[in-house]
Amino acid sequence: MNSAQFFNLTTIGYFASMVLFLVYLIARSPKIALAATAVAWAGFAANTAGIALRYFEAVEMGYNQAPLSNLYESVVFFAWSILLVYLLMDLKYKQRAVGAFVIPFAFIGMTWAQLGLDDAIAPLVPALQSNWLTYHVITCFLGYAGFAIACGASIMYLILDTQKSKDNKNGILALFPDIRVLDDINYKAIMFGFPMLTLGIITGAAWANYAWGTYWSWDPKETWSLIVWFVYAAFLHARFTRGWVGKRAAWLSIIGFAATIFCYLGVNLVLSGLHSYGGA
Amino acid sequence: MTTPKHNLLHSVWNFFCSLKLTIFTLILLALTSIIGTVIQQNRSPEEYIRQYGEGLYTLFERLQFFDMYRAWWFLALLILFCLNLIACSIKRLPGVWKTVREPSLTMAPDTLLTLANHTRFDSRQNAEETAQALSESLSSRFARPVLTRTEDGLHLFAQKAAWARFGVYVTHLSILIIFIGAIIGNIWGYKAFVNIVEGDQVNQVWPRGGGEPIDLGFTVRCDSFSVTYYDGSLRPKEYASVLDVIEDGQEVISDRKIIVNTPLNYKGITFYQSSYGPAGPATTRMRVTPKGGSPLVAINREGEHTPLPNGYSFAVTGYAQSYQGMGPAVQMHVNTPDGRHGNPFIVLQNFPDFDSRRGGEFAFALLDYKQPQYTGLQVNKDPGVWVVWIGCLLLILGTMAAFMISHRRIWITIEPKGEGSVVHMGASAHRNQAAFALYFDELKKDLTKNLVA
């Protein structure tokens, strides 16, 4: 089997897991939730195997490079990061309904990578030949994954919040975690993501300084990473202020994730700059 | 009574201490930063007018949108951010300092029981023995406690990771340190560039954005420049310059290869491989075989005609690193003795016998093509960069401590009661309370095991 086949399995696994989680919301059977989680683990295993294989495939072609060098590989890695952070959260909180709001991000990523992106293994241009690439990408994506989970929890929070007044926690909503648990997942995920993003920005700056002699040049990608950092810094400080918790915090988290996605993809696809190689 | 002046100072102070100001500033910084990513920065006025038209150009120019990260209003926002950060830290730090340095060692039983995690039990041993036993268990399982004796009874206090409370202030301080580093770099550093033709040397560099050349204080020589490609493609694998540094007539650094991502640093000045290009005409060495004659070697300079036997001459007009996937090639033509321009044709380096099939007056084989290059180096001096890295390190340590490490405290008060004693125990964590509650339950079981009456 080659990496592409493993990525096919990954996509199928995430799709199945997503469907099972949705079925769980309707059927409310814990067995289905368990199956959905098991399939998510299986998809994650396939994702891991695919990434590892792709590394060896590149080595076989004579390129000793981490499988993090183009948009296709980074999207696949993003899906992997989301699953990693989600599954760790799941081990701790066991709030299965959250899966229905997080797995779709990974599924969409994998589908897009497979249908829309060039999966050729290309050697790295000189500017990208650096170990800093690996540190930078891993830390950034772990941060992004934390924010994805926070966003999923925030969406659930807002859905629950609109229903709260009517006091009819029937149907699907009965399976939602307690609103305070959602708020807590939101914060915890950001408390994990924020130091990771900080580390990602710093490793990027260190690399830029090593490669070009400028640790900060206000390039659009750099600026957007700072924008994301500002939004989540605001979020974390909002926790200490009355009136900026709960609903507003949930909205900040969703806006933060939208900014994250724009930082990751929008900048490459829409704006120009040092990171635009990713759009090629 | 406070005077109005005092009141004003007080409100200014409160304004800068406000957490709402923090949130407001952070969001405003995020929103305004977007402008500079949408509008390309530091382009020529013509480019902007073409893109936005006269009216918008004038407006944007006035708002300093074309160099917005250096605009007064953006810098003012950053300064506001720093002032807020300093004021907030100054306001809260003494309290935290006190919590850490002078923790309250005793707590009244009633207060203890108001803590999130608490328990109370009767011990069959007397107060001193109970304190001794609890001390030992706490030391081995949590942290060595401090024993205080008051008339109410015996008090134990133990804490872990108190320093984690400073994480947030380390984070704040680190941001200020990064700013200081950036300012140092801006004032005492420079960004410049220099182009060196292979074989040449320089002792001056040119600041980016114009200005007088800067003396390096030493000389840099470029021995050679080369580009290598991945096999069978035009994808560059490596740009490399071989540089020497000469100071006071001595070669202090010899034959140092610098490539992208591997710069050369000498005396705080760093040279980065940044660009390259052709410098002057190329030289072509060719084996020329006249029809029915013996081969000779001809050396041609690009743009010039090189004479051949019997009044003919040839010129090279183009070169490709890889011509239709068949490797290096030149385009050339031969002029007849009466000066008539022949049809251009291609000579492939990897197929030296190929050209004879053309059936021309001469058959050419490409031996060697040498294009002298210049290497484009970016030259930076940034004496503040170490300050920035120290700031970054503190930022990482600070955020990790602030978010991942929890200050945990346990208070125990033991009151004598008949033969035995009553134990009141309370505990708190400043982060991750849920996990601490589970931990406390375990600890409680362990501590009380041999004591409960």
Side-chain angles (χ1 to χ4, degrees):
Chain A
M1 292 242 286
N2 59 28
S3 63
Q5 286 166 311
F6 271 105
F7 290 138
N8 273 334
L9 286 178
T10 309
T11 312
I12 294 167
Y14 293 167
F15 177 70
S17 171
M18 181 177 82
V19 170
L20 283 169
F21 273 122
L22 291 172
V23 171
Y24 164 63
L25 286 187
I26 296 159
R28 283 185 258 167
S29 154
K31 275 185 191 156
I32 293 178
L34 198 68
T37 308
V39 175
W41 274 103
F44 179 65
N47 202 342
T48 312
I51 291 171
L53 258 180
R54 197 167 161 95
Y55 169 71
F56 290 115
E57 284 163 10
V59 169
E60 237 163 61
M61 290 168 76
Y63 316 134
N64 189 10
Q65 60 192 37
L68 303 168
S69 58
N70 58 22
L71 193 57
Y72 173 85
E73 289 175 338
S74 81
V75 171
V76 166
F77 186 70
F78 186 28
W80 184 86
S81 312
I82 291 174
L83 260 288
L84 175 74
V85 178
Y86 167 73
L87 291 171
L88 290 177
M89 278 265 171
D90 181 68
L91 285 179
K92 193 170 167 215
Y93 286 89
K94 296 213 165 31
Q95 295 290 350
R96 294 283 144 78
V98 177
F101 290 82
V102 172
I103 304 292
F105 291 129
F107 169 66
I108 292 167
M110 286 304 299
T111 310
W112 182 47
Q114 293 209 288
L115 298 180
L117 296 174
D118 180 10
D119 67 349
I121 296 181
L124 289 173
V125 296
L128 297 181
Q129 293 164 11
S130 170
N131 282 335
W132 286 108
L133 173 73
T134 314
Y135 312 140
H136 176 57
V137 174
I138 289 176
T139 48
C140 282
F141 279 102
L142 285 177
Y144 292 0
F147 300 150
I149 282 134
C151 177
S154 293
I155 292 171
M156 295 176 83
Y157 184 99
L158 290 177
I159 294 173
L160 207 55
D161 192 66
T162 53
Q163 298 298 313
K164 193 178 57 185
S165 47
K166 294 174 196 157
D167 207 23
N168 59 343
K169 268 191 90 179
N170 295 324
I172 290 172
L173 297 182
L175 288 172
F176 274 35
D178 190 86
I179 199 155
R180 281 168 309 179
V181 174
L182 286 173
D183 190 56
D184 193 45
I185 292 176
N186 190 14
Y187 276 110
K188 291 275 164 60
I190 289 173
M191 270 161 63
F192 168 79
F194 188 73
M196 286 299 153
L197 175 71
T198 308
L199 207 53
I201 292 175
I202 290 173
T203 48
W207 179 15
N209 191 64
Y210 196 58
W212 296 287
T214 317
Y215 52 83
W216 194 261
S217 55
W218 293 106
D219 151 87
K221 188 82 165 190
E222 291 172 0
T223 311
W224 268 96
S225 70
L226 190 66
I227 291 167
V228 171
W229 196 87
F230 282 143
V231 173
Y232 286 109
F235 175 94
L236 290 166
H237 287 86
R239 175 150 227 195
F240 307 114
T241 316
R242 268 163 189 276
W244 270 94
V245 290
K247 218 167 135 181
R248 282 206 211 179
W251 273 114
L252 258 184
S253 175
I254 292 170
I255 291 168
F257 189 59
T260 305
I261 291 296
F262 189 80
C263 175
Y264 171 32
L265 299 173
V267 174
N268 292 9
L269 305 175
V270 181
L271 307 172
S272 61
L274 288 176
H275 285 73
S276 48
Y277 67 87
Chain B
M1 281 289 287
T2 48
T3 63
K5 196 186 159 201
H6 209 95
N7 256 336
L8 181 69
L9 248 168
H10 199 69
S11 2
V12 169
W13 173 245
N14 274 345
F15 170 77
F16 280 114
C17 284
S18 144
L19 211 53
K20 283 205 179 112
L21 179 69
T22 313
I23 299 168
F24 170 79
T25 317
L26 284 168
I27 291 176
L28 206 59
L29 275 169
L31 287 176
T32 51
S33 295
I34 296 173
I35 298 169
T37 67
V38 178
I39 298 173
Q40 296 213 330
Q41 300 287 294
N42 298 306
R43 300 299 158 107
S44 68
E46 296 78 42
E47 222 172 300
Y48 286 128
I49 292 171
R50 211 179 317 128
Q51 200 171 354
Y52 301 107
E54 282 283 352
L56 267 184
Y57 169 75
T58 317
L59 179 69
F60 286 175
E61 175 68 47
R62 201 160 295 162
L63 292 169
Q64 293 180 278
F65 280 1
F66 298 133
D67 191 14
M68 71 149 275
Y69 303 111
R70 273 185 281 270
W72 71 266
W73 54 267
F74 191 75
L75 294 179
L77 254 180
L78 285 178
I79 291 168
L80 180 65
F81 175 61
C82 288
L83 288 177
N84 179 230
L85 198 136
I86 294 167
C88 278
S89 305
I90 289 176
K91 188 179 172 185
R92 289 171 179 82
L93 195 53
V96 173
W97 182 259
K98 206 162 168 249
T99 312
V100 172
R101 300 301 302 178
E102 305 158 28
S104 49
L105 298 173
T106 65
M107 217 184 253
D110 296 347
T111 333
L112 259 182
L113 299 183
T114 63
L115 294 176
N117 305 289
H118 58 82
T119 186
R120 180 187 168 284
F121 65 93
D122 290 327
S123 167
R124 55 192 162 76
Q125 294 179 322
N126 69 32
E128 282 294 342
E129 282 165 356
T130 304
Q132 180 66 31
L134 285 173
S135 249
E136 275 166 20
S137 332
L138 268 181
S139 298
S140 65
R141 287 187 174 76
F142 183 72
R144 179 178 290 281
V146 183
L147 175 70
T148 316
R149 289 184 172 83
T150 68
E151 49 201 33
D152 302 332
L154 297 169
H155 304 270
L156 292 173
F157 170 74
Q159 63 175 356
K160 258 186 147 167
W163 51 269
R165 298 256 180 186
F166 294 122
V168 56
Y169 304 101
V170 171
T171 306
H172 288 175
L173 179 70
S174 69
I175 292 167
L176 297 175
I177 292 175
I178 291 170
F179 278 137
I180 290 168
I183 291 167
I184 292 173
N186 264 303
I187 295 175
W188 288 288
Y190 59 76
K191 294 192 192 314
F193 67 90
V194 66
N195 293 338
I196 316 175
V197 178
E198 287 174 289
D200 278 1
Q201 56 188 44
V202 297
N203 53 19
Q204 283 185 325
V205 294
W206 279 261
R208 275 201 290 183
E212 290 291 301
I214 301 164
D215 279 317
L216 288 172
F218 52 85
T219 302
V220 180
R221 183 167 62 213
C222 175
D223 291 340
S224 69
F225 174 83
S226 61
V227 189
T228 53
Y229 296 85
Y230 284 103
D231 289 343
S233 81
L234 282 176
R235 207 173 164 85
K237 188 176 184 180
E238 186 180 275
Y239 308 118
S241 302
V242 178
L243 301 183
D244 307 317
V245 174
I246 302 144
E247 191 171 21
D248 303 327
Q250 293 284 319
E251 203 166 289
V252 283
I253 293 179
S254 296
D255 299 338
R256 172 73 62 81
K257 183 173 164 187
I258 79 155
I259 58 178
V260 179
N261 273 322
T262 308
L264 162 75
N265 188 302
Y266 186 67
K267 291 200 164 169
I269 299 171
T270 315
F271 298 82
Y272 300 86
Q273 182 66 56
S274 131
S275 61
Y276 65 96
T283 314
T284 313
R285 221 159 52 85
M286 265 191 210
R287 193 186 70 216
V288 187
T289 317
K291 206 178 257 178
S294 51
L296 56 105
V297 171
I299 292 168
N300 172 265
R301 271 166 75 84
E302 199 177 316
E304 289 171 18
H305 273 93
T306 300
L308 289 169
N310 306 326
Y312 286 89
S313 69
F314 78 96
V316 174
T317 54
Y319 174 78
Q321 176 73 31
S322 179
Y323 179 78
Q324 294 181 352
M326 290 186 285
V330 288
Q331 187 184 53
M332 57 179 298
H333 63 263
V334 176
N335 280 8
T336 55
D338 53 5
R340 250 185 326 117
H341 198 290
N343 288 330
F345 55 92
I346 304 290
V347 174
L348 296 160
Q349 185 163 23
N350 295 346
F351 303 92
D353 302 327
F354 208 69
D355 193 50
S356 58
R357 296 195 203 169
R358 187 172 45 85
E361 207 58 41
F362 301 90
F364 295 87
L366 177 58
L367 298 177
D368 189 32
Y369 180 89
K370 185 116 185 68
Q371 168 66 63
Q373 307 269 3
Y374 72 81
T375 180
L377 303 175
Q378 188 173 315
V379 186
N380 283 8
K381 185 179 169 186
D382 188 351
V385 76
W386 289 109
V387 180
V388 171
W389 295 143
I390 289 168
C392 287
L393 187 69
L394 288 176
L395 182 61
I396 294 167
L397 297 176
T399 48
M400 295 283 179
F403 296 129
M404 294 173 187
I405 297 166
S406 157
H407 177 203
R408 286 153 290 164
R409 289 176 292 179
I410 296 177
W411 289 272
I412 298 172
T413 297
I414 307 150
E415 292 171 317
K417 183 189 172 192
E419 294 280 285
S421 53
V422 188
V423 178
H424 304 270
M425 194 158 111
S428 78
H430 97 299
R431 209 166 276 304
N432 207 359
Q433 275 86 358
F436 185 68
L438 295 176
Y439 175 79
F440 181 75
D441 281 343
E442 284 298 306
L443 188 73
K444 198 164 68 183
K445 267 185 227 150
D446 273 1
L447 294 184
T448 58
K449 207 161 48 192
N450 302 316
L451 292 171
V452 177

